[in-house]
Amino acid sequence: MSTVAQLINRTQRQLLSGIVEQRNKLSSTITAAGTSVTVDYALDSLRVGQTFEIDAELFYIWAADTTTRALTVERGWNGTTAAAHTAGAILTVNPRFPRNQIFEAFNDDLYDLAAPLNGLYRVKTLDLAYNGNDTMLNLNGASNIIDLLDVRLRYISTDYPLVRKVSLVRNVPTSDFSSGYALKFNESTMAGSLRVTYKTGFNPMALEANDVQTITGFPLSAEDILVLGAQIRLMAPREIKRNFTESQGDTRRADEVPAGSVTNSIANLQRLRRDRIIAEATKLDSQYPIVLSKI
């Protein structure tokens, strides 16, 4: 089991590839509303117009006093959330890959991976009582259904035969079917308890302290796919930045890092991610073959 924070650390470690970003330490605890920050060591790169990160919050520096090592800052910079931080917390100066951006990339990737093109999904079950008469049955408690995997009827405690001729109906009136989904029976089915197994998407992450599997339903064996996806999402825009003609870059950059270098650098990550997605999707298909007849 991994927490979101552990996956963020893993993503940063691999992206930085040994680069050590400049750091400092917070001298005293600050509240979520405080705009004055004092650090333990010399300011160095902590200058006006620069940013730094504590935990998942970014700060923008408006003023810096090198004598007192005090900074006047704007909180919750660039879409991050202002929070309280304790004395001794680590400041990362001008972080190349802010934690909040990695967090957002994880959630973007979770939505993307459950798309039919990628073929990954979460398996959930739903137990329902069926009266044997209704043609359609509300899938009460289900949401974000991608497709049905199987439907089984409890015959006796040791026998759950497959109900083959059923189909999923979407967008039915919630006044009649509260979930917005219905199970349609295309053949006569006896009354009893049903176990419905279905594909659904992954839940988004909420906090760095979250356990990834518990909150999202994403499998432990596929965690590396999230890391690869975040790395690709964070690196891809760098080609745009590198080619931004309205800024003056390093005069040697054109020769040493020609156009396309950044894009080419993530090609192996993209191939590895695609191979891992195919492997995990194939495993899911083997574990949960669809044997329903929907006609």
Side-chain angles (χ1 to χ4, degrees), residues 10-208:
R10 178 177 170 185
T11 304
Q12 285 182 323
R13 185 171 63 250
Q14 293 179 7
L15 282 171
L16 290 171
S17 301
I19 295 173
V20 179
E21 297 177 308
Q22 187 177 19
R23 294 185 165 196
N24 212 313
K25 283 188 177 183
L26 187 64
S27 292
S28 57
T29 298
I30 57 172
T31 67
T35 56
S36 180
V37 173
T38 304
V39 297
D40 283 350
Y41 306 106
L43 297 185
D44 292 332
S45 296
L46 288 168
R47 300 188 299 268
V48 173
Q50 302 302 303
T51 64
F52 63 89
E53 181 182 61
I54 303 178
D55 300 327
E57 181 186 355
L58 286 172
F59 297 68
Y60 180 85
I61 302 172
W62 287 111
D65 188 324
T66 57
T67 302
T68 62
R69 301 190 301 278
L71 305 167
T72 301
V73 299
E74 181 171 333
R75 303 296 302 275
W77 178 252
N78 203 19
T80 60
T81 301
H85 304 283
T86 58
I90 298 296
L91 285 74
T92 303
V93 184
N94 294 322
R96 291 171 173 82
F97 305 101
R99 299 182 72 84
N100 187 65
Q101 288 187 17
I102 298 175
F103 187 95
E104 291 176 345
F106 284 159
N107 279 335
D108 288 342
D109 219 41
L110 284 169
Y111 289 120
D112 180 42
L113 290 168
L117 178 65
N118 288 315
L120 299 186
Y121 51 84
R122 184 180 187 180
V123 177
K124 296 188 76 173
T125 59
L126 188 64
D127 294 320
L128 301 168
Y130 178 55
N131 61 19
N133 297 316
D134 294 338
T135 304
M136 296 172 69
L137 178 66
N138 178 42
L139 293 177
N140 188 36
S143 62
N144 191 26
I145 299 177
I146 297 173
D147 201 358
L148 298 175
L149 285 167
D150 73 23
V151 178
R152 293 181 179 272
L153 175 70
R154 184 182 187 277
Y155 185 65
I156 57 175
S157 61
T158 57
D159 190 8
Y160 279 73
L162 187 68
V163 181
R164 292 184 178 274
K165 293 189 177 181
V166 292
S167 55
L168 175 67
V169 183
R170 304 173 187 272
N171 303 317
V172 288
T174 54
S175 56
D176 296 318
F177 301 88
S178 60
S179 67
Y181 297 97
L183 188 66
K184 186 176 186 299
F185 296 89
N186 300 313
E187 66 177 356
S188 178
T189 303
M190 65 181 288
S193 298
L194 295 174
R195 165 62 63 95
V196 179
T197 305
Y198 61 95
K199 303 178 183 179
T200 186
F202 305 107
N203 294 331
M205 301 171 179
L207 300 168
E208 283 199 20

